[in-house]
Amino acid sequence: MAGNFWQSAHYQQWLLDGQDLIQERRADLEVLTEEEYHKVMIFFANFIQQLGETLKLRQQVIATATTFLKRFYARNSLKCIDPLLLAPTSVFLSSKVEEFGVISNSRLISTCQTVVKNKFSYAYNSEFPYRTNHILECEFYLLESMD
């Protein structure tokens, strides 16, 4: 952590203005409108919130996971990695970063299946399609994207 905000990685890499975001989201905005894009981000922020509440995580861990998701998609297209995979991956990573403790892989997958089936069945007709190895592989892409 930098002692000076103006020298921090947050200031240098993650304070993006509107034009930068539009340029980064260009591929997504060819398919979605700006409003639809924001609704997708809100949907997955709610998904992370439900995962966190079901796993009984601290709000700080949930907020960090949401930040990770938004930072990843600030630099990458929604087509790059399925947000349904990135959301639990960001929860998994944020639990490590916030020193909450590592969440059991089987518990995370079963919780994802439960949340998708019970809370988000209106959006997803099938089961949660990803397994532990997908989340562990996606974790490296998330870490790489955030430097």
Side-chain angles (χ1 to χ4, degrees), residues 10 12-13 19 26 32 37-38 41 45-46 52 56 59 62 77 86-87 90-91 99 102 110-111 119 124 144-145:
H10 174 75
Q12 293 174 357
Q13 296 177 12
Q19 290 178 333
R26 189 175 5 169
L32 301 169
Y37 186 87
H38 286 298
M41 287 295 117
N46 288 335
K56 298 188 180 1
Q59 191 61 42
I62 296 168
S77 171
L86 192 67
S90 60
V91 169
E99 298 177 353
V102 179
S110 65
T111 302
K119 305 276 184 178
Y124 292 101
E144 184 180 335
S145 176

Side-chain angles (χ1 to χ4, degrees), residues 21-111:
L21 287 174
I22 289 172
Q23 184 175 353
E24 294 288 341
R25 295 177 182 163
R26 189 175 5 169
D28 292 330
L29 294 178
E30 290 175 3
V31 179
L32 301 169
T33 65
E34 187 75 29
E35 182 180 347
E36 290 170 335
Y37 186 87
H38 286 298
K39 286 180 181 179
V40 169
M41 287 295 117
I42 290 169
F43 176 85
F44 285 103
N46 288 335
F47 181 72
I48 288 172
Q49 183 70 36
Q50 286 298 319
L51 275 178
E53 288 176 4
T54 305
L55 290 167
K56 298 188 180 1
L57 301 177
R58 294 189 322 239
Q59 191 61 42
Q60 183 176 357
V61 176
I62 296 168
T64 301
T66 304
T67 301
F68 287 171
L69 180 95
K70 290 184 178 188
R71 282 186 177 180
F72 182 84
Y73 288 120
R75 301 267 190 222
N76 298 288
S77 171
L78 287 169
K79 299 175 198 173
C80 182
I81 293 178
D82 184 2
L84 189 60
L85 172 61
L86 192 67
T89 302
S90 60
V91 169
F92 185 69
L93 181 61
S94 69
S95 71
K96 293 178 183 178
V97 169
E98 294 296 339
E99 298 177 353
F100 182 78
V102 179
I103 300 169
S104 162
N105 294 330
S106 59
R107 184 172 170 230
L108 180 62
I109 295 296
S110 65
T111 302

